[in-house]
Amino acid sequence: MKSTTNTNLSCIRLRTIALMNYLRISAGASCPYQLSVMVDEKANKLGWPDMTESKRLYKYFQGNVRRHPTQILNLLSQIFQEVENTYWKGPNDLWVALWGDIPLISTIIKSSSQTLEQSTTEDALNKVFMDYLVDGTFSLPSTIAVYRYLVITDPYGRFGDGHGFGRAFSIYCQLKKILQTNEINKHLSELGVYLEVQMEIDKIERERINNRPYWVSPIECGRGYPLFAGTITTAE
């Protein structure tokens, strides 16, 4: 996993903040202090230094790190399950969708589309689009995965044999709507990464537009209308 995920400082900060809040929520703690108390209750038997009075965990909630917090990950892994996995993949594979490479993104798309094992990613992608049109139901990680897959493999492709709306731009517009829903807003805000996730997605879209070749028409680059409109229902 480490070799296929983004390792720049901003990503490390987001991973760290989201992990700490994920553990806090999972433990039923309302703040870093409560989580510190819970950790101390179990850590005393392991010979750990004090976490509550020293406020040692607070800096991780703030993302005050300069490298992957390997030591605290190892310590927390002795108390909580799936710490390393959640740090690298993110809650519900959020970081895989946002920063993972093509094989990892394809796995998310195929899983969300529930296509046959031998199906291609493009087959799964088409089924995802059809499910969106029919049900109007979206999962944030799978939608991010679809968007990034298109940005990487077909950034300026259009529906309708090249005569319809831009595929990547249509998913981007829908993704922005999903981020505005109460459920997703609340979920990402509780993890402490709501604005930052929006900024990461917007950065990807700006790069896609800025890299448009001269021969690509405006509609292929998003100068059109989103394909999907109407009510959005988020899915886990």
Side-chain angles (χ1 to χ4, degrees):
M1 174 60 65
K2 296 180 183 181
S3 63
T4 56
T5 48
N6 203 315
T7 57
N8 69 47
L9 184 57
S10 65
C11 298
I12 293 173
R13 290 188 65 256
L14 291 191
R15 292 184 197 280
T16 304
I17 293 171
L19 171 68
M20 297 307 299
N21 282 299
Y22 176 82
L23 295 178
R24 174 186 61 77
I25 295 168
S26 299
S30 61
C31 62
Y33 173 80
Q34 285 191 0
L35 182 66
S36 298
V37 172
M38 292 179 179
V39 168
D40 269 344
E41 290 175 354
K42 298 181 179 180
N44 287 336
K45 300 177 181 179
L46 301 174
W48 289 15
D50 167 77
M51 293 286 176
T52 305
E53 294 299 325
S54 66
K55 298 182 179 181
R56 183 178 179 185
L57 296 181
Y58 284 43
K59 71 175 185 178
Y60 300 109
F61 278 96
Q62 299 166 354
N64 186 16
V65 293
R66 295 186 178 182
R67 61 183 66 86
H68 294 297
T70 304
Q71 184 180 36
I72 198 65
L73 291 179
N74 292 336
L75 291 175
L76 292 174
S77 293
Q78 299 178 51
I79 296 178
F80 301 100
Q81 296 182 347
E82 298 293 321
V83 170
E84 285 270 353
N85 193 55
T86 302
Y87 176 80
W88 287 103
K89 290 188 174 182
N92 299 319
D93 287 339
L94 177 61
W95 303 143
V96 178
L98 194 57
W99 300 318
D101 58 16
I102 284 292
L104 294 173
I105 298 171
S106 298
T107 299
I108 293 179
I109 297 173
K110 289 183 178 181
S111 176
S112 65
S113 67
Q114 298 182 340
T115 51
L116 298 176
E117 185 176 347
Q118 63 268 29
S119 299
T120 65
T121 303
E122 189 65 27
D123 290 335
L125 194 65
N126 290 332
K127 187 176 186 300
V128 169
F129 276 114
M130 290 306 299
D131 289 344
Y132 289 174
L133 287 171
V134 173
D135 300 327
T137 301
F138 294 79
S139 160
L140 179 62
S142 65
T143 306
I144 293 176
V146 168
Y147 170 63
R148 285 202 57 241
Y149 181 84
L150 290 174
V151 167
I152 295 171
T153 65
D154 188 25
Y156 312 110
R158 294 186 286 176
F159 293 101
D161 296 325
H163 300 289
F165 300 113
R167 297 206 300 173
F169 179 67
S170 295
I171 284 293
Y172 168 75
C173 290
Q174 205 62 29
L175 189 50
K176 295 294 287 184
K177 290 182 181 180
I178 293 173
L179 289 167
Q180 298 302 318
T181 62
N182 291 334
E183 181 182 348
I184 296 302
N185 186 318
K186 181 175 182 293
H187 174 62
L188 293 181
S189 295
E190 288 178 343
L191 292 176
V193 295
Y194 178 66
L195 292 178
E196 289 80 1
V197 168
Q198 288 195 85
M199 291 170 61
E200 285 289 317
I201 293 169
D202 287 341
K203 181 176 70 174
I204 295 171
E205 181 63 8
R206 283 196 302 272
E207 291 176 353
R208 185 184 75 89
I209 293 174
N210 291 337
N211 292 332
R212 175 173 69 93
Y214 73 92
W215 45 264
V216 175
S217 65
I219 193 172
E220 290 174 287
C221 200
R223 302 299 193 267
Y225 298 95
L227 175 64
F228 305 112
T231 303
I232 296 176
T233 304
T234 55
E236 294 298 331

